[in-house]
């Protein structure tokens, strides 16, 4: 029964992501998760502060269902299909533990120092997580897409703009872990 | 009823994200530190299959199940918005360890602090909407 709980290797996971994109294309939609954030802003009355949210968001309710499904999938996978631990490379696990005192690699799915429910209102974590989310939301809309919209959908369609965006993702991501983590953590 | 198919696709996607560990903060840190091939393999193999599939769709002119054109419109040409937006997104992705799909997956898995990430992402989206006309695109 161990195979049920074991993580999927990259060559299983990658094709499944492509399959998700093709399912959506086949029913006339586009694979792009960050659009849901704009839809939510429109649904809660964002059109009062910016025209950017003045559109018929009800047409995008299908994508909110995809996001809700992702939430459900996360619940099912974590509850029934996983041991909820992630084995990263020993070098990385060691580095996280020694430099940042993040010790859960190999035992946890997410670092408890950041994501344990007991620390929900811990101010330092709260600020870091809101900041991370803020950059994700602002950047995704500015770039016109996130990992699913650019790195998967856009690059699959050989779009140069998506290549520029993905290069940006990696510039930002490496700057964060190489230069800003030592300051933030 | 028509929304059930979207719910199913989303659920499938959520399980894939969780089981591939693409929704793990540890894996995202490892990816941006170039510490293992795993995430590059996940994205790379999705992409390889994606490119082949989209080429087939275009050459054979495959339509949606309702016999309409597929949503494969070319993106507007520009550099600043993709580069600056991309960099800002990357900073956030590495810090929060989750991009907009996995943040919902992680919420479903029961990690409550991800709510702050989702809230922050909504605020970021809102501020982009307000500042949009003042930014170089």
């Amino acid at each position: 029964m161990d195979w049920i709980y074991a993580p999927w290797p990259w060559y299983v996971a990658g094709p499944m992501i492509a399959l998700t994109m093709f399912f959506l294309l086949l029913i006339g939609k586009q694979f792009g998760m960050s659009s849901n954030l704009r839809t939510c802003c429109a649904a809660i009355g964002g059109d009062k502060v910016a025209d950017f949210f003045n559109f018929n968001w009800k047409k995008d309710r299908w994508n909110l269902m995809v996001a809700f499904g992702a939430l459900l999938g996360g619940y099912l996978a974590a509850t029934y299909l996983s041991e909820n631990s992630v084995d990263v490379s020993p070098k990385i696990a060691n580095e996280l533990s020694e430099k940042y005192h993040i010790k859960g690699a190999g035992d946890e799915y997410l670092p408890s120092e950041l994501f344990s429910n007991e620390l929900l209102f811990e101010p330092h974590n709260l600020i870091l997580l809101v900041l991370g989310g803020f950059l994700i939301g602002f950047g995704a809309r500015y770039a016109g897409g996130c990992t699913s919209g650019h790195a998967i959908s856009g690059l699959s369609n050989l779009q140069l703009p998506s290549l520029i965006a993905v290069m940006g993702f990696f510039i930002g991501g490496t700057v964060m872990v190489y230069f800003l983590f030592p300051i933030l953590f | 009823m028509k929304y059930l198919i979207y719910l199913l696709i989303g659920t499938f996607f959520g399980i894939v994200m969780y089981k591939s560990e693409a929704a793990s903060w540890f894996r995202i840190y490892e990816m941006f530190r170039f510490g293992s091939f795993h995430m590059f393999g996940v994205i790379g193999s999705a992409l390889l299959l994606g490119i082949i599939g989209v080429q087939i769709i275009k050459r054979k002119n495959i339509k949606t199940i309702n016999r309409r054109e597929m949503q494969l419109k070319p993106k507007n040409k520009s550099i600043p918005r993709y580069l600056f937006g991309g960099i800002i997104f990357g900073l956030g992705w590495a810090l929060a360890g989750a991009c907009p799909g996995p943040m919902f997956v992680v919420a479903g898995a029961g990690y409550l602090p991800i709510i702050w990430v989702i809230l922050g992402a909504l605020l970021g989206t809102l501020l982009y909407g307000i500042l949009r006309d003042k930014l170089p695109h």
Side-chain angles (χ1 to χ4, degrees), chain A residues 62-73:
Chain A
W62 67 271
N63 210 355
L64 293 177
M65 288 307 288
V66 177
F68 186 68
L71 194 135
L72 195 64

Side-chain angles (χ1 to χ4, degrees), chain A residues 38-51 53-54 57, chain B residues 126:
Chain A
R38 185 185 179 200
T39 308
C40 288
C41 285
I44 57 177
D47 57 331
K48 291 181 191 76
V49 291
D51 280 345
F53 303 109
N54 188 7
W57 62 269
Chain B
L126 203 63

Side-chain angles (χ1 to χ4, degrees), chain A residues 81 84 95 109 142 157 178, chain B residues 18-19 29 33 58 116 136:
Chain A
L81 306 171
N84 302 308
E95 176 180 298
Y109 195 90
Y142 193 1
N157 195 13
Y178 280 87
Chain B
Y18 199 86
K19 293 291 290 178
Y29 178 82
R33 287 289 280 164
K58 286 187 167 173
W116 301 124

Side-chain angles (χ1 to χ4, degrees), chain B residues 2 7 22 26 34 57 59 61 67 69 79 112 118 127-128 132:
Chain B
K2 65 175 175 174
L7 186 71
F26 291 114
F34 304 96
I57 288 170
R59 291 189 188 187
N61 200 16
R67 306 222 177 90
E69 288 293 321
I79 291 178
L112 295 182
I118 296 174
L127 191 72
Y128 168 75
R132 188 165 174 250

Side-chain angles (χ1 to χ4, degrees), chain A residues 103-124:
Chain A
K103 300 191 183 296
D107 299 319
E108 303 166 337
Y109 195 90
L110 296 179
S112 53
E113 290 85 354
L114 262 175
F115 288 98
S116 90
N117 291 352
E118 288 82 54
L119 298 176
L120 182 57
F121 295 104
E122 204 277 315
H124 183 241

Side-chain angles (χ1 to χ4, degrees), chain A residues 4-8 10 13-18 20-23 25-31 33-34 37-38 40-41 50 52-53 61-62 65-78 81-82 84-89 92 95-96 100 102 104-105 108-111 114-117 120-121 126 128-130 132-144 146-147 149-151 155-159 161-162 164-165 168-170 172-174 176-178 180-181, chain B residues 3 5-7 9-27 29-38 40-43 45-47 49-51 53-55 57-58 62-66 70-96 98-101 103-114 116-118 120-132 135-137:
Chain A
I4 291 184
Y5 300 107
W8 290 347
W10 60 266
M16 298 274 196
I17 296 172
T20 307
M21 176 181 76
F22 287 123
F23 280 147
L25 280 175
L26 209 59
I27 53 178
K29 305 296 182 197
Q30 246 178 328
F31 183 34
M33 294 303 292
S34 65
L37 299 166
R38 185 185 179 200
C40 288
C41 285
F52 183 60
F53 303 109
R61 275 181 298 192
W62 67 271
M65 288 307 288
V66 177
F68 186 68
L71 194 135
L72 195 64
Y75 168 76
L76 293 174
L81 306 171
S82 177
N84 302 308
S85 63
V86 172
D87 276 321
V88 288
S89 85
I92 293 292
E95 176 180 298
L96 278 171
Y100 305 119
I102 291 175
E108 303 166 337
Y109 195 90
L110 296 179
L114 262 175
F115 288 98
S116 90
N117 291 352
L120 182 57
F121 295 104
L126 194 154
L128 289 183
L129 294 176
V130 171
F134 183 86
L135 295 166
I136 291 170
F138 191 94
R141 232 28 315 112
Y142 193 1
C146 60
T147 328
H150 278 309
L155 285 185
S156 286
N157 195 13
L158 304 176
Q159 295 296 305
S162 294
I164 300 169
F169 297 170
F170 274 85
T174 47
M176 176 55 74
V177 300
Y178 280 87
L180 299 178
F181 264 38
Chain B
Y3 285 117
I5 186 75
Y6 300 116
L7 186 71
I9 292 174
T11 307
F12 173 77
F13 174 63
I15 292 173
V16 173
M17 285 292 100
Y18 199 86
K19 293 291 290 178
S20 69
E21 303 179 334
S24 167
W25 187 96
F26 291 114
R27 282 292 189 198
Y29 178 82
E30 181 188 54
M31 171 178 78
F32 284 127
R33 287 289 280 164
F34 304 96
S36 137
F37 179 72
H38 180 78
F40 296 96
V42 171
I43 299 173
S45 59
L47 193 51
L49 231 76
I51 291 173
V54 170
Q55 284 303 313
I57 288 170
K58 286 187 167 173
I62 297 172
K63 302 278 194 261
T64 70
I65 47 167
N66 294 322
M70 288 208 183
Q71 297 273 339
L72 290 167
K73 280 170 281 185
K75 297 191 189 289
N76 296 329
K77 296 262 185 305
S78 157
I79 291 178
R81 75 169 297 187
Y82 300 112
L83 187 62
F84 300 148
I87 291 172
I88 296 168
F89 177 83
L91 289 165
W93 186 12
L95 178 55
C99 46
M103 62 175 70
F104 297 112
V105 178
V106 166
Y111 298 91
L112 295 182
I114 200 72
W116 301 124
V117 178
I118 296 174
L122 289 170
L123 283 173
T125 306
L126 203 63
L127 191 72
Y128 168 75
I130 294 167
L131 298 180
R132 188 165 174 250
L135 298 166
H137 276 80

